[in-house]
Amino acid sequence: MSLIVTGSVGIDTVETPDGRRADEVLGGSSIYFAAGASYFTSVRLVAAVGDDFPDHLAQKFDHFDVCTHGLEKRAGSKTFRWHGRYHENMNDRDTLQVDLNVLGEALPPVPESYRDSKYIFLANTHPAGQLALLDQFPDRKLVVADTMDLWIETERDLLLQLLQRVDGFVLNDSEAKMLTEENNVVRAADKVLAMGPTFVVVKKGEHGAILRHRDGTGALPAFPATQVVDPTGAGDSFASGMMGYLCEQDDVSVGAIKRAMAYGTVVASYTIEKFSTDRLAEIDRSHIDARLAEFTGHLHIGG
Ligand code: AMP
């Protein structure tokens, strides 16, 4: 089975409260997603960067086994840029600057060789781009989308259209509250369900994630991490392990989604150990499986 993703590809600058910072590093929702999911299945990327996108960042991505035929370097456009600063708790963050640039333009064409994709992930990007990709895959088996506060604030109507057309939606707790104006995360998830999808996953950073599915509920803690260098991309990495596993197993049942969330938790736990995709580039599938076994042990509460 093949997994296709669209989302941002960006140049990030990240500041953390211990005084560390990473300037102009590889980032973007679809980059973290594709990198993590490549450990489970073949991943196809549809996204655009500008002609200012530096070769040394593109080369960083060469490491991952991802098809980039659908990644367009657009002449005359500029690459998406994001600058964020984390709070002391390493969970909340402020966006200091965001330049949408090419993210505000049309999605590149989908290569013919991607047409048989059955699993679709619409990573955080302009909802117009998410809808444009979705429109091209009427025979899909599963489509899941993510979003972010900026799009909830600026493109609410398009997001509501998107919600009516996806099977699953992943978002973090503050985004769920913002979208639904409901403070209780579980009730917020139910309000999102009422907007259209079959299941909703609400990510709660170091407090794990909950699943509300029309056929059941799940809850998982985060992997207990002692070394959090940079949480950027944790949400996209969570989605990568989740979607990668579902695609690999070709199973979209509630049970499979719960197991998939455990894989998502583990992939995210690696991402946060270094800036950008640096830690993801050091691991292989055996690291993911070993940490999953450790995590499963943590979850065992039988007598
Ligand atoms: P996450 O930490 O999982 O929310 O993802 C962080 C990544 O999202 C960063 O690498 C940013 O480049 C990217 N990003 C930040 N703001 C946006 C936005 N409004 N739309 C799309 N991607 C974004």
Side-chain angles (χ1 to χ4, degrees):
M1 281 289 155
S2 256
L3 175 58
I4 188 168
V5 59
T6 193
S8 57
V9 177
I11 303 175
D12 284 356
T13 295
V14 180
E15 295 178 47
T16 57
D18 56 8
R20 286 198 255 198
R21 78 183 262 153
D23 282 291
E24 312 233 314
V25 294
L26 179 65
S29 58
S30 69
I31 290 293
Y32 283 105
F33 180 87
S38 71
Y39 292 118
F40 296 82
T41 190
S42 59
V43 187
R44 297 156 167 182
L45 176 64
V46 180
V49 292
D51 54 17
D52 58 344
F53 193 66
D55 286 345
H56 74 274
L57 292 191
Q59 279 156 12
K60 284 215 153 211
F61 201 59
D62 285 347
H63 170 87
F64 300 100
D65 185 17
V66 173
C67 181
T68 53
H69 293 155
L71 178 63
E72 181 185 329
K73 191 165 184 174
R74 192 168 291 169
S77 295
K78 285 208 156 104
T79 303
F80 170 74
R81 281 173 181 265
W82 177 76
H83 181 173
R85 183 189 291 147
Y86 284 89
H87 294 192
E88 210 61 53
N89 65 12
M90 287 297 261
N91 199 23
D92 301 318
R93 68 185 178 204
D94 297 321
T95 291
L96 303 183
Q97 188 160 351
V98 60
D99 300 307
L100 292 183
N101 296 331
V102 76
L103 227 56
E105 301 172 16
L107 196 70
V110 174
E112 267 317 303
S113 58
Y114 288 11
R115 291 280 165 203
D116 59 353
S117 307
K118 290 278 181 281
Y119 285 75
I120 300 177
F121 188 68
L122 306 172
N124 175 31
T125 186
H126 197 300
Q130 295 177 308
L131 282 161
L133 190 80
L134 183 55
D135 279 341
Q136 300 180 57
F137 291 92
D139 297 329
R140 61 197 177 247
K141 179 150 185 186
L142 182 78
V143 55
V144 177
D146 189 3
T147 197
M148 205 173 181
D149 49 3
L150 177 77
W151 307 116
I152 298 173
E153 280 162 14
T154 62
E155 297 291 347
R156 195 181 174 87
D157 289 349
L158 277 182
L159 259 188
L160 293 178
Q161 279 181 41
L162 181 71
L163 273 160
Q164 285 175 11
R165 300 190 46 205
V166 298
D167 303 299
F169 201 60
V170 293
L171 70 179
N172 73 28
D173 45 358
S174 61
E175 291 153 1
K177 287 174 190 169
M178 186 187 275
L179 181 62
T180 61
E181 291 171 3
E182 168 61 63
N183 274 322
N184 177 289
V185 170
V186 186
R187 281 205 299 265
D190 288 346
K191 280 195 168 180
V192 180
L193 272 190
M195 295 171 180
T198 307
F199 69 91
V200 176
V201 176
V202 184
K203 300 164 287 177
K204 299 186 294 164
E206 62 180 328
H207 301 298
I210 60 160
L211 166 72
R212 287 295 259 187
H213 190 291
R214 293 202 179 155
D215 297 331
T217 295
L220 268 187
F223 186 82
T226 51
Q227 178 82 343
V228 184
V229 172
D230 171 21
T232 308
D236 311 307
S237 304
F238 175 91
S240 79
M242 186 182 91
M243 288 297 284
Y245 176 78
L246 292 174
C247 183
E248 179 189 54
Q249 301 296 312
D250 194 17
D251 184 352
V252 296
S253 64
V254 186
I257 296 171
K258 288 184 189 174
R259 286 191 297 281
M261 287 170 63
Y263 275 99
T265 302
V266 165
V267 178
S269 76
Y270 280 113
T271 296
I272 64 180
E273 290 177 354
K274 290 198 171 172
F275 282 108
S276 184
T277 51
D278 290 359
R279 184 65 179 127
L280 284 182
E282 291 172 351
I283 62 168
D284 58 35
R285 179 61 184 262
S286 69
H287 289 85
I288 295 173
D289 288 336
R291 194 171 278 186
L292 184 89
E294 194 183 341
F295 188 47
T296 308
H298 299 161
L299 299 174
H300 187 74
I301 54 169

